[in-house]
Amino acid sequence: MTLKITWYGHACFLIEAGKTKLLTDPFITGNPLSPVQADEVEADYILVSHGHGDHLGDTLDIAARTGATVISNYEIQNWVVNQGFENVHPQHIGGGFDYPWGRVKLTIAQHGSALPDGTYGGNPCGFLFYIHGKKIYHACDTGLFYDMKLIGEEGIDLAILPIGDNFTMGPDDALRAVKLIEPTHVIPIHYNTFDVIKQDPHAWADKVKEETSAKVTVMKPGDVLEL
Ligand code: NI
Ligand code: MN
């Protein structure tokens, strides 16, 4: 089955697996590059990698409107439940769960995770999706870490990697990440949303093509990739 993957900018993707819509890190309101409005986004599941505002984003509003199940770590789930939501599924790092549409495992990420009100959000994570035979690693916000090699050992079809620098890996470390993971396909994210993370994704793509065998797709917000 072909997966339809739409980038809404920053770390936000809509992954459509058949009729199921998975939304990651829905930072839409306040994202100057978002191609959509929060009140027009559909989701059956919302996956939140950590508590920072540019990832938690519109999670609560979208969950309230759509009834989507929020998947995140235990600490963020507690916070979401305390905001009055019941439709949640807590997981934690290293743990996978088989949903009706496929499996997701939380990976480590080297980052922080305070929620907007200062509540402790546990450890931040990345997502490893196993959907209809495809493996997608969404690194979310992280610095480079050598265990990306372990993640790559699973045979990654698509790696989604931050290149913005300052808050996450920059272009040089993201290139090293590609070498550790050895994905078939890679998409750069988490750049140009703010001045402090300005990067040239095409220059990065050229380097990746020169130095690795990964196929790079530079998306514009709103673009769709079929996998
Ligand atoms: Ni962050
Ligand atoms: Mn971020």
Side-chain angles (χ1 to χ4, degrees):
M1 181 194 280
T2 303
L3 303 177
K4 192 176 162 200
I5 300 169
T6 308
W7 190 37
Y8 288 155
H10 213 54
C12 183
F13 284 85
L14 177 68
I15 301 173
E16 292 173 81
K19 288 199 171 89
T20 306
K21 293 180 165 67
L22 315 173
L23 188 67
T24 67
D25 285 355
F27 170 53
I28 293 166
T29 303
N31 177 357
L33 302 182
S34 179
V36 288
Q37 301 288 320
D39 61 6
E40 60 186 0
V41 173
E42 291 302 324
D44 299 302
Y45 293 83
I46 303 171
L47 296 103
V48 181
S49 67
H50 65 290
H52 294 162
D54 61 320
H55 295 260
L56 180 73
D58 299 290
T59 294
L60 297 183
D61 284 347
I62 297 170
R65 178 172 52 80
T66 61
T69 301
V70 179
I71 299 171
S72 190
N73 71 17
Y74 180 74
E75 291 83 359
I76 290 174
Q77 291 314 330
N78 277 343
W79 182 85
V80 170
V81 168
N82 286 337
Q83 313 305 307
F85 292 79
E86 288 171 2
N87 205 4
V88 299
H89 186 115
Q91 292 187 218
H92 228 304
I93 290 163
F97 185 80
D98 293 308
Y99 295 90
W101 45 267
R103 179 176 176 83
V104 66
K105 183 162 82 177
L106 304 197
T107 71
I108 61 169
Q110 301 288 12
H111 197 64
S113 183
L115 286 147
D117 62 7
T119 302
Y120 172 63
N123 286 312
C125 72
F127 300 112
L128 186 46
F129 294 96
Y130 310 76
I131 311 174
H132 300 298
K134 310 251 167 64
K135 292 179 195 159
I136 302 172
Y137 170 46
H138 187 341
C140 304
D141 277 9
T142 187
L144 179 67
F145 56 90
Y146 199 74
D147 286 358
M148 286 181 177
K149 199 164 174 60
L150 286 176
I151 295 169
E153 279 175 7
E154 300 211 24
I156 301 299
D157 296 292
L158 170 64
I160 297 170
L161 302 177
I163 67 161
D165 218 349
N166 193 71
F167 297 117
T168 68
M169 293 189 286
D172 293 346
D173 279 354
L175 173 62
R176 296 167 74 194
V178 175
K179 292 175 182 175
L180 290 173
I181 301 162
E182 299 186 55
T184 307
H185 209 121
V186 63
I187 297 174
I189 60 159
H190 210 276
Y191 61 88
N192 291 358
T193 320
F194 315 114
D195 281 345
V196 75
I197 56 172
K198 268 214 172 324
Q199 298 296 340
D200 178 352
H202 296 284
W204 184 77
D206 288 345
K207 269 199 181 154
V208 172
K209 286 177 202 159
E210 254 170 57
E211 297 187 27
T212 79
S213 56
K215 232 175 107 182
V216 192
T217 301
V218 174
M219 299 178 87
K220 291 188 297 296
D223 278 358
V224 176
L225 175 83
E226 301 212 323
L227 184 72

